[in-house]
Each structure stands twice: as C-alpha cells, then as structure tokens.
Amino acid sequence: RAIGEKEDVTELLLVAEKARRQRDLPGARAAAERAFKLAPESARVIELMAELSPVDQALPLFRKVVEISPQNSGALNNLAYLLAMKDQPKEALPFAARAADIAQGKYGPALDTYGWVLYLLGQYTEACPNLERANARTPSNAVVTYHLGMCYLKIGRGAEGRAQLERA
C-alpha cells in the first residue's frame, strides 16, 4: 500500500527485482508480465516491463510511462537514451532535457544522456559541460567517460579527449 500498488502487484514487483539482481532475466520478465496482467496501467509496472524488454518493445512502454508519469526522470532518461541510440536525437532531446532538469544536475545518467544527445546533434559546446558533470557524478562509468572524451575531441581538446578515451 505504501507504494500505491495492490499487495499482489507489489509482491510480483519485488520478485521481479530480486530475480533481476540475481541476473535471472527470464524470471524477472515472467514476474513483471504477471504484474502487468494485474495492473496494466501502473507506471511502475510498465517501467519495469520496459527495463526488461528489447529496445523495440521498450520504446512504446517508456512512452506510456512518461505519458502516465511525466515527472519520472528515470523513464524520461531511458526513453531519451533509447531514441538517441536508434539515431533519433532530435526526438530524444526534449525528453533528455526534461530528465536532466527534473534531476537538477544530481543524476549522472540524466546528465550523460542529455550531453550525449546534444553531442549527436552537433552541439558540442553545450554537450561538454553536461558530460563533465555526468563524469564527476559517475567517474567509474566507462560509457560516460567515452562520451566526454569524444566531446573533448570535437571541441579541440585533443589531449584531454584521448586521455578520457584511454581511461574509458
């Protein structure tokens, strides 16, 4: 009740999360699907389904979560990142910007996604500060470090870019 879900749905969400932590993705997916049958309009259930789905299935699910819960920075970020990876950075930009704004610069993955989307759009001078902040928040994340290195190369900071790429 505390999280706003029925008891049986909450139990299935917990089973799915436990299975995911144990790297039992089929078990996690099965529990999430059972929860989805019980609560097909639950943003929490739909988001979990999206996180456990292949990209083409995840995109409409993340869109649904954002529609139901427009302030969900995690869903906004994931939707933006998937769109960017599907070579749709223009469509990803408003979602990435909203996720970064909601997170108020405190969530490294949202800063990384926003920075990387700007990078993909060729807006390197705007991208690098976001990627620097993402890197400061998540210094051991190789993807963030790679993104920062690539951005540095584009703005003419070759030595720093190569150093970041080697670190990644």
Side-chain angles (χ1 to χ4, degrees), residues 100-123:
D101 185 50
I102 290 167
Q104 298 178 344
K106 296 177 183 168
Y107 183 56
L111 292 167
D112 175 60
T113 299
Y114 183 49
W116 190 241
V117 168
L118 290 168
Y119 173 92
L120 293 172
L121 292 169
Q123 299 174 24

Side-chain angles (χ1 to χ4, degrees), residues 78-94:
N78 289 336
L79 176 57
Y81 195 78
L82 292 178
L83 287 168
M85 294 302 97
K86 298 225 13 122
D87 200 27
Q88 298 174 34
K90 284 183 185 175
E91 188 177 351
L93 184 60

Side-chain angles (χ1 to χ4, degrees), residues 36 46-47 49-50 53-68 78-79 82-83 86 91:
F36 185 72
I46 297 167
E47 186 172 10
M49 286 288 296
S53 296
V55 172
D56 289 335
Q57 292 173 15
L59 275 169
L61 292 170
F62 278 123
R63 286 182 194 281
K64 178 79 171 170
V65 174
V66 167
E67 179 184 309
I68 294 169
N78 289 336
L79 176 57
L82 292 178
L83 287 168
K86 298 225 13 122
E91 188 177 351

Side-chain angles (χ1 to χ4, degrees), residues 17 51 99 121 150 152:
E17 285 297 338
E51 291 169 359
L121 292 169
M150 293 299 293
Y152 280 164

Side-chain angles (χ1 to χ4, degrees), residues 4 38 41 134 146 153:
L38 295 172
E41 296 301 316
Y146 169 79
L153 291 176

Side-chain angles (χ1 to χ4, degrees), residues 32-47:
E33 286 173 351
R34 288 197 320 267
F36 185 72
K37 286 179 184 173
L38 295 172
E41 296 301 316
S42 164
R44 184 174 277 110
V45 172
I46 297 167
E47 186 172 10

